[in-house]
Amino acid sequence: MPRKVILAANWKMNLTMKKSTDLVDDILNKMKNKDNCEIILFPSFLHIPAIMEKIKGRNIGLGGQNLYFEEVGAYTGEIAAFQLVDVGCTHVLIGHSERRHYFHEDYETVNKKVIQALASNLKVMLCVGESLEERENNVTEMVVVDQIVSAMQNISIKNLNDISIAYEPIWAIGTGRNATPADAAHVHKIIRKALGRIFNTDAAAGISILYGGSVKPENIKELMAEEDIDGVLVGGASLKAEPFLDLMKLIN
Ligand code: PGA
């Protein structure tokens, strides 16, 4: 079965309510109803219900940028998987490098979040990627494989339909530098191999692996030309309608 092509927008801690809903309006008004890719938006938690109202019936996924791994209860300031589902989320981002780095999410935390999300019927987009120092020390493959293996602990093969991976080299995020398509594709192959060892090669062949890190209309074509790159996770270039619509057109 061909893998799903995914265009995902990570708005991070950007935009007011008005700006994010205007952006959604703009995208919806101008996008052609093509089904060449699956679109998923990851706005601020606060804007999710308003955006949900706008995208109803439009075949666009909506997700949280994070969740807490406990099911429910006294965890002041946290957001539960069931609460994301309750307001219409279909997806959640887990293990973004900004979460791992600034909020000290370790392998165990990421794994617990993946487990909770899947148990709550959310589709998981798991982010992995190496730092510049790790790349320079030639440990990229080891780091990324460790991130995959640890995140997949106690995950059943039945859940693989609900998982996609976003490979985002940290040094390429928001910096304007991106990995060469061949470098990215190489790491994507390593990730698929690791998934093959954990589950099996057939199952691993069906998982969409996205690239992220300074993706823009100018470089998406060459990235998507690589066989193992199945989509993109976009930060900066998803904050305005025009580049995002261009990405939509160019993705395949
Ligand atoms: P960027 O962010 O496109 O601004 O580099 C990507 C991401 O962090 O998901």
Side-chain angles (χ1 to χ4, degrees), residues 1 12 32 44 67 75 130 141-142 166 169 177 185 227:
M1 215 176 68
K12 308 191 180 184
K32 305 266 181 300
S44 156
L67 51 62
Y75 302 101
E130 81 286 5
E141 296 179 11
M142 200 181 78
R177 287 177 64 177
E227 199 193 307

Side-chain angles (χ1 to χ4, degrees), residues 8-10 12 93 96-98 127 168 172-177 212-216 233-238:
N10 177 10
K12 308 191 180 184
L93 269 187
H96 191 281
S97 62
E98 287 148 17
C127 303
E168 301 200 301
I173 296 177
T175 57
R177 287 177 64 177
S214 297
V215 175
K216 41 188 186 278
L233 175 58
V234 188
S238 70

Side-chain angles (χ1 to χ4, degrees), residues 60-236:
I60 294 178
L62 186 60
Q65 297 171 15
N66 182 29
L67 51 62
Y68 192 51
F69 55 72
E70 292 293 351
E71 200 179 326
V72 62
Y75 302 101
T76 302
E78 293 294 330
I79 290 185
F82 81 89
Q83 293 174 318
L84 291 178
V85 172
D86 184 49
V87 292
C89 284
T90 45
H91 290 74
V92 65
L93 269 187
I94 295 182
H96 191 281
S97 62
E98 287 148 17
R99 302 274 344 149
R100 294 183 195 254
H101 182 67
Y102 300 126
F103 304 98
H104 314 292
E105 290 192 6
D106 59 13
Y107 288 174
E108 194 188 343
T109 306
V110 169
N111 176 236
K112 284 180 174 170
K113 290 186 175 193
V114 172
I115 291 171
Q116 182 59 257
L118 294 170
S120 308
N121 292 322
L122 285 167
K123 291 184 195 296
V124 169
M125 186 173 288
L126 172 74
C127 303
V128 297
E130 81 286 5
S131 66
L132 184 58
E133 197 188 349
E134 289 161 342
R135 171 152 290 244
E136 285 171 347
N137 287 328
N138 293 320
V139 291
T140 297
E141 296 179 11
M142 200 181 78
V143 168
V144 169
V145 170
D146 275 357
Q147 289 170 338
I148 293 284
V149 171
S150 54
M152 292 297 135
Q153 292 288 311
N154 301 315
I155 302 299
S156 134
I157 194 165
K158 292 196 303 280
N159 287 127
L160 284 195
N161 274 344
D162 292 332
I163 297 176
S164 58
I165 310 289
Y167 167 58
E168 301 200 301
I170 298 172
W171 48 273
I173 296 177
T175 57
R177 287 177 64 177
N178 65 313
T180 66
D183 280 346
H186 173 71
V187 180
H188 283 221
K189 274 207 177 69
I190 302 284
I191 292 172
R192 204 176 298 288
K193 248 197 213 155
L195 290 166
R197 280 196 301 272
I198 301 167
F199 301 102
N200 66 51
T201 39
D202 276 356
I207 298 183
S208 296
I209 305 179
L210 285 64
Y211 172 79
S214 297
V215 175
K216 41 188 186 278
E218 293 75 22
N219 59 23
I220 189 171
K221 273 259 162 234
E222 49 178 17
L223 288 162
M224 290 303 298
E226 296 289 341
E227 199 193 307
D228 267 288
I229 301 185
D230 307 311
V232 287
L233 175 58
V234 188

